[in-house]
């Protein structure tokens, strides 16, 4: 019997460390499956989903730019993913149906707490970008009781729409353009931002804005914690600027592994070997 298939779709996808740590986990647990990165352009998403033979497919991860559009292709979406409006993990059931989950919420918060030692409750937060991962990030931050949340995006209407879809849990929120002047004006008169989260792909290796940072050092307080969800390169341009002013930083690799560990369990029914996955992910990215 041929090995089962599992993987991740995105565009671009060649930067992904997921195959390295997921295949390490599959080998460690003796699962006869191979994890592959599939590059799927936005216009090809529907065709790709329906072209898949589901008899040997365990499921697939979903990354930029498909986390919201994939929902249209699924048979069912779990409550957490539905409330966020984004899916990053798809499971093929025994009935060959596609069920969507969001493990980004767990991965984001668990990494921030365990790797960063940072408690979000009562913090003033600036989130950069309004894509699929930002939905999960904003959703969990609001649920966990931040003091305020400012969402900056190149298209303000998209940020406004994202926030309108979420339960604010009584937290004051605002949307603003992703530019220096607009962000500075929006934050004027508030407590100094204590957490900055980059949910854009700016700075990503092999991405369209490789080597760029979404904000300048002038918007980063030295007392802030800067959490860049980009993980390749290990020190992103934004992290380098933050470290230059004395701010603490964390890249997106731990989040990637923790959300991927949840996905591994959903696909296989086996407890994920997180230590094995983390070591393989660090080796793939850091060498």
């Amino acid at each position: 019997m041929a090995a089962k298939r599992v993987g991740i779709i995105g565009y671009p996808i060649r930067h992904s460390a997921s195959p390295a740590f997921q295949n390490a986990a599959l080998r460690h647990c003796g699962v006869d499956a191979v994890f592959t990165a599939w590059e799927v352009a936005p216009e090809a998403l529907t065709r790709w989903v329906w072209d898949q033979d589901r008899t040997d497919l365990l499921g697939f991860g979903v990354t930029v730019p498909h986390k919201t559009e994939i929902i249209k292709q699924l048979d069912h979406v779990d409550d957490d993913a539905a409330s966020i409006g984004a899916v990053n993990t798809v499971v093929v059931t025994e009935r060959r149906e596609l069920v969507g989950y969001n493990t980004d919420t767990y991965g984001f918060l668990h990494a921030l707490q365990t790797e960063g030692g940072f408690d979000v409750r009562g913090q003033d937060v600036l989130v950069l970008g309004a894509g699929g991962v930002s939905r999960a990030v904003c959703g969990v931050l609001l649920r966990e009781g931040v003091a305020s949340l400012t969402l900056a995006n190149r298209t303000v209407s998209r940020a406004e729409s994202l926030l309108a879809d979420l339960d604010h849990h009584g937290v004051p929120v605002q949307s603003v353009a992703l530019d220096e002047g607009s962000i500075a004006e929006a934050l004027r008169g508030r407590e100094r931002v204590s957490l900055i989260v980059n949910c854009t792909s700016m700075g990503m290796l092999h991405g369209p804005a490789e080597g760029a940072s979404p904000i300048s050092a002038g918007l980063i307080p030295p007392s802030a914690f800067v959490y860049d969800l980009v993980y390749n390169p290990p020190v992103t341009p934004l992290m380098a600027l933050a470290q230059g002013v004395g701010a603490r930083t964390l890249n997106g690799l731990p989040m990637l592994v923790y959300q991927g560990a949840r996905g591994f369990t959903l696909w296989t029914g086996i407890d994920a070997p997180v230590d094995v996955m983390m070591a393989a992910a660090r080796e793939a990215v850091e060498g």
Side-chain angles (χ1 to χ4, degrees):
M1 183 180 295
K4 295 286 188 179
R5 294 184 302 130
V6 64
I8 185 169
I9 61 171
Y11 190 84
I13 198 65
R14 61 183 175 140
H15 69 283
S16 178
S18 292
F21 72 79
Q22 293 286 8
N23 280 315
L26 292 168
R27 289 191 299 269
H28 180 82
C29 294
V31 179
D32 188 18
V34 176
F35 190 99
T36 304
W38 293 299
E39 187 159 272
V40 179
E43 64 272 15
L45 178 62
T46 300
R47 181 61 179 269
W48 183 90
V49 171
W50 290 103
D51 279 350
Q52 299 310 302
D53 181 355
R54 300 183 189 179
T55 59
D56 67 343
L57 184 66
L58 297 176
F60 52 92
V62 183
T63 190
V64 178
H66 303 311
K67 292 186 180 187
T68 55
E69 287 300 312
I70 192 65
I71 293 175
K72 300 174 185 177
Q73 313 301 327
L74 305 180
D75 299 295
H76 305 284
V77 177
D78 94 320
D79 290 343
D80 192 37
S83 68
I84 294 166
V87 162
N88 77 316
T89 302
V90 176
V91 175
V92 179
T93 69
E94 292 182 356
R95 298 175 60 184
R96 305 293 183 252
E97 292 181 327
L98 301 181
V99 181
Y101 299 87
N102 194 301
T103 67
D104 279 335
T105 53
Y106 167 78
F108 169 82
L109 192 61
H110 190 65
L112 185 56
Q113 291 171 337
T114 60
E115 306 290 330
F118 191 92
D119 183 2
V120 302
R121 190 171 302 277
Q123 307 289 350
D124 291 288
V125 184
L126 170 63
V127 177
L128 309 173
V133 72
S134 181
R135 286 183 169 271
V137 167
C138 291
V140 74
L141 288 171
L142 293 169
R143 185 186 72 202
E144 292 296 313
V146 297
S148 68
L149 190 149
T150 299
L151 178 59
N153 193 59
R154 284 178 297 181
T155 306
V156 179
S157 60
R158 185 173 183 184
E160 292 172 341
S161 177
L162 186 158
L163 291 175
D165 289 343
L166 299 175
D167 184 344
H168 296 174
H169 298 278
V171 175
V173 302
Q174 61 177 337
S175 306
V176 63
L178 183 52
D179 66 65
E180 300 287 305
S182 297
I183 293 174
E185 179 62 28
L187 298 178
R188 199 183 313 278
R190 295 196 171 208
E191 293 296 321
R192 299 189 69 164
V193 167
S194 47
L195 175 64
I196 299 172
V197 184
N198 179 34
C199 297
T200 78
S201 61
M202 292 188 71
M204 181 177 72
L205 193 67
H206 306 308
E210 180 178 352
S213 171
I215 59 175
S216 71
L219 288 176
I220 306 173
S223 59
F225 190 102
V226 176
Y227 190 3
D228 194 340
L229 303 191
V230 173
Y231 62 84
N232 198 0
V235 178
T236 67
L238 173 60
M239 290 172 63
L241 292 176
Q243 291 169 7
V245 301
R248 293 183 294 153
T249 62
L250 178 67
N251 73 16
L253 193 65
M255 174 183 172
L256 177 74
V257 173
Y258 289 130
Q259 64 79 26
R262 278 285 174 96
F264 179 91
T265 299
L266 288 168
W267 294 319
T268 67
I270 299 171
D271 289 341
V274 177
D275 291 346
V276 170
M277 300 172 86
M278 191 70 75
R282 293 196 189 283
E283 182 177 358
V285 174
E286 299 171 6

